[in-house]
Amino acid sequence: MIDIMCQELLGFLNQAWTLTKDVIDCIKERRSIRRFKPDPVPEATIGRLLEAACAAPSAGNVQPWFFYCIYKDDLKQALARAALGQKFVAQAPVVIVVCADPERAATAYGERGRNLYCLQDTAAAVTNLMLAATGYGLGTCWVGAFSEAEVSRVLSLPPNLRPVAIIPVGYPDQTPAPRPRRSLEEVVRVMR
């Protein structure tokens, strides 16, 4: 009996602590997932996603981000309403609301930190989180269409935090096809 429990624990830890994909594969395989299985996501895995988010680059290493991990159904429902009725937000086992602290960035960089760097830095953290989730076989969707005031109210955010993204996280219950991408010729100019 103890051997079986130890094997199960080792299997869980292996799953929670080991990425299964190359980073380039994660970049290419990441999709916006809007249907999730009800299976819970291990808290250790969510911890790893947050560690990946916090490893993102930030201007002057200010790290102006803050994360809310939402498991409560009533809060997820309220966030879905705040996200202009995007019901799939509430169907994910976990919803992570990523916030920026503009004043933290302004302390180091003034208006440019407040209005630009904090958003760039937070976006980098979101990207890291989503790619790590893909590596763990999880699905995410970057939800940016929402009422900031309503999300702030629902989560009782302190006045220094600005919600930037809502990220539902769970095991995908869909496999979307890749979306068309512009060619490199369309988006790159090399200047020598």
Side-chain angles (χ1 to χ4, degrees), residues 4 12 33 79 93 103 114 117 163 179 191:
I4 293 171
F12 168 77
I33 300 299
L79 288 172
E103 295 311 309
R114 178 180 294 112
Y117 297 164
R179 302 283 307 265
M191 304 171 83

Side-chain angles (χ1 to χ4, degrees), residues 3 10 13 20 23-24 32 46 50 57 60 74 79 91 95 106 128 142 150-151 155 157 162 164 166 171 175:
D3 287 339
L10 286 173
L13 290 174
T20 59
V23 70
I24 300 299
S32 294
I46 295 297
L50 295 168
D74 61 330
L79 288 172
Q91 294 167 354
V95 176
N128 276 14
W142 188 319
E150 186 61 14
V151 170
L155 298 179
L157 297 184
R162 177 182 179 188
V164 173
I166 297 173
Y171 294 100
T175 309

